[in-house]
Amino acid sequence: QVQLVESGGGSVQAGGSLRLSCAASGYTYSVNAMGWVRQAPGKEREGIAIIYPGGDITYYADSLKGRFTISQDNGKYTVYLQMNSLKPEDTAMYYCAASNARTKDIQTMKSPTDFNYWGQGTQVVVSS
């Protein structure tokens, strides 16, 4: 099993920034990708981005490119989501996700919403 713990959410005014963190523990050797997903009230979960241990990144939400940046630490099992120029529509619960599927299978997934390990989420509220 893999456990994921997010932190860094909170309330911020529009135009502000937040940095979310996610620390993985447990059978991290089995993790082949980690990523971020968000879910706004009344909406479906939306994949944001994933990062592979080697550093390759896939962004799933074109609308967020340039404002959101995923990264990882040297140990590879802590990932970050830097969010800049936040907008009220970015208000959502943000989840960290991880997958132990084969890398080539992960690459065919439409979204990190298909990942099999999830954190409890961290709330982000952006006020206008």
Side-chain angles (χ1 to χ4, degrees):
Q1 292 294 320
V2 175
Q3 294 80 42
L4 303 172
V5 179
E6 304 100 332
S7 60
S11 297
V12 64
Q13 289 191 328
S17 298
L18 284 174
R19 189 191 195 205
L20 307 183
S21 300
C22 172
S25 61
Y27 295 158
T28 55
Y29 64 86
S30 68
V31 172
N32 288 323
M34 295 180 68
W36 290 95
V37 174
R38 71 180 183 179
Q39 187 168 22
K43 295 187 177 181
E44 294 184 351
R45 287 186 174 182
E46 175 186 25
I48 298 171
I50 66 171
I51 188 165
Y52 295 90
D56 290 339
I57 293 171
T58 300
Y59 286 98
Y60 291 90
D62 289 339
S63 62
L64 301 181
K65 288 181 181 179
R67 294 196 299 122
F68 287 19
T69 303
I70 190 170
S71 62
Q72 63 187 8
D73 70 3
N74 290 334
K76 302 176 184 177
Y77 298 115
T78 297
V79 295
Y80 307 96
L81 187 67
Q82 178 68 43
M83 305 185 294
N84 298 327
S85 302
L86 284 163
K87 305 175 181 180
E89 52 264 42
D90 294 319
T91 294
M93 186 70 80
Y94 284 73
Y95 297 91
C96 179
S99 176
N100 61 354
R102 295 179 302 177
T103 298
K104 65 176 184 178
D105 290 332
I106 295 171
Q107 292 168 338
T108 65
M109 293 180 184
K110 293 183 179 180
S111 170
T113 54
D114 294 333
F115 283 10
N116 52 327
Y117 294 111
W118 291 82
Q120 81 287 352
T122 184
Q123 182 70 48
V124 171
V125 177
V126 184
S127 58
S128 58

